[in-house]
Amino acid sequence: MARRFLDVLAVALALLQAASAKSWLDKRFNTDGTVRTGYDASGQEVVMLNLNQQSGAAGFNSKEQFLYGEFSIQMKLIPGNSAGTVSCFYLSSGDDEWRDEIDMEFMGNSTGHPVVLNTNVWANGDGKKEHQFDLWFDPAADYHTYTIIWNPENILFKVDNLFIRSFKRFAGLPYPSSRPMRLHATLWDGSYWATEKGKIPINWSNAPFVVSYRNFYANACVSGGACHAGSSRWMKKQLDGAEWGTVKWAERSYMRYNYCEDGYRFPQGLPAECSRY
């Protein structure tokens, strides 16, 4: 009995220490919409974005701007029928027509259907560079880690320990390299687009929709400042043979859409980078 009491006390103390410390959310981000925080059993801060018909979109946006870096976060997505919702983790230089952006967007699903991960890269305002994948696990059952690595040579997308995409820089073609970007996490109504090309809108009777985030990590170069210690690990990162193997596995087994195969969308010819991979 005494041992059990001590175990409970240890957990309580960990939670108290975590709650008393300034959170990663408050320290590094501004928030929009309905954003709530809590702590899990290990003392990690959990940030919950809430979406309902009255409150509208929710999100958190970094106070700092970055020019290259490695960024990751753990997410637990909306359980059940999440059709029409879009949950995001992305970098963006702003909303102007020449913006740069690097996206990981999770498009809500009808119950029983896979969640689609949309990866995209915008360079100089051109964002028609999507690779979409059906996730091979239930992203609402537990937390999974999603990572973006952005360096001068390529942009890498990673799910848990598996690389699923590399967007390379090619001479003479647009690439995000000069516009500092903020990091964002958002939850919003994408009924016009998200699920089966907009055929299935949000069912608001299932609201509120909640996406949970924890364990945020960034090792990056701050715009106008220095790069973090250890930046050499990701600054020159390119995929090795085994890592290219996981990309090919994801493409072969779970890819739903590849812009380089969409001749209907590009009647004048596929984007130039498509012939260089």
Side-chain angles (χ1 to χ4, degrees):
M1 182 64 113
R3 178 60 181 271
R4 184 178 179 185
F5 172 76
L6 290 174
D7 289 343
V8 172
L9 181 61
V11 171
L13 287 173
L15 292 172
L16 182 61
Q17 289 170 354
S20 63
K22 192 169 186 180
S23 75
W24 59 261
L25 180 71
D26 292 338
K27 183 178 180 181
R28 307 192 68 171
F29 294 90
N30 297 312
T31 63
D32 295 306
T34 304
V35 181
R36 298 187 172 91
T37 59
Y39 293 89
D40 64 15
S42 67
Q44 288 192 75
E45 184 181 35
V46 177
V47 177
M48 293 157 282
L49 303 185
N50 290 252
L51 172 67
N52 61 53
Q53 200 165 11
Q54 291 71 42
S55 66
F60 52 91
N61 318 290
S62 68
K63 297 176 181 179
E64 295 176 312
Q65 292 180 297
F66 306 100
L67 190 61
Y68 303 131
E70 178 178 358
F71 311 89
S72 70
I73 202 159
Q74 291 185 325
M75 297 172 62
K76 184 159 66 171
L77 301 186
I78 300 162
N81 183 2
S82 60
T85 66
V86 182
S87 310
C88 303
F89 179 59
Y90 69 102
L91 292 146
S92 178
S93 66
D95 296 325
D96 62 272
E97 62 178 320
W98 302 109
R99 75 181 184 274
D100 291 342
E101 190 168 300
I102 303 169
D103 297 327
M104 296 186 83
E105 300 170 310
F106 302 85
M107 301 187 289
N109 66 319
S110 301
T111 303
H113 293 272
V115 169
V116 177
L117 167 58
N118 181 55
T119 66
N120 197 9
V121 175
W122 293 69
N124 294 340
D126 179 8
K128 303 182 185 72
K129 304 181 187 301
E130 303 97 331
H131 281 187
Q132 296 179 358
F133 303 87
D134 291 338
L135 290 179
W136 50 93
F137 51 84
D138 181 356
D142 203 351
Y143 287 93
H144 290 266
T145 303
Y146 305 97
T147 302
I148 295 169
I149 297 174
W150 169 37
N151 65 36
E153 301 302 323
N154 51 197
I155 296 165
L156 306 174
F157 298 87
K158 191 176 181 182
V159 176
D160 292 327
N161 295 318
L162 300 174
F163 287 98
I164 63 167
R165 183 181 183 185
S166 170
F167 181 87
K168 290 187 174 183
R169 184 178 193 172
F170 293 107
L173 299 182
Y175 182 84
S177 61
S178 61
R179 295 178 178 87
M181 296 201 264
R182 297 188 191 276
L183 188 68
H184 305 266
T186 56
L187 172 61
W188 50 283
D189 176 3
S191 291
Y192 71 95
W193 162 73
T195 307
E196 296 185 22
K197 299 181 179 180
K199 294 179 181 178
I200 306 178
I202 281 183
N203 181 349
W204 290 109
S205 67
N206 295 321
F209 301 99
V210 179
V211 176
S212 299
Y213 295 78
R214 72 178 188 186
N215 201 23
F216 168 71
Y217 169 84
N219 185 303
C221 300
V222 178
S223 177
C227 298
H228 291 184
S231 61
S232 59
R233 184 185 69 253
W234 54 260
M235 185 64 82
K236 297 181 180 180
K237 174 65 180 175
Q238 297 189 56
L239 300 185
D240 62 24
E243 291 164 342
W244 271 114
T246 69
V247 170
K248 297 304 180 183
W249 166 81
E251 291 176 350
R252 182 175 60 252
S253 303
Y254 297 103
M255 179 172 275
R256 173 179 288 237
Y257 176 82
N258 179 354
Y259 76 105
C260 283
E261 297 176 352
D262 193 348
Y264 179 82
R265 188 181 189 186
F266 302 101
Q268 304 304 316
L270 295 172
E273 68 269 14
C274 294
S275 63
R276 301 193 191 183
Y277 281 97

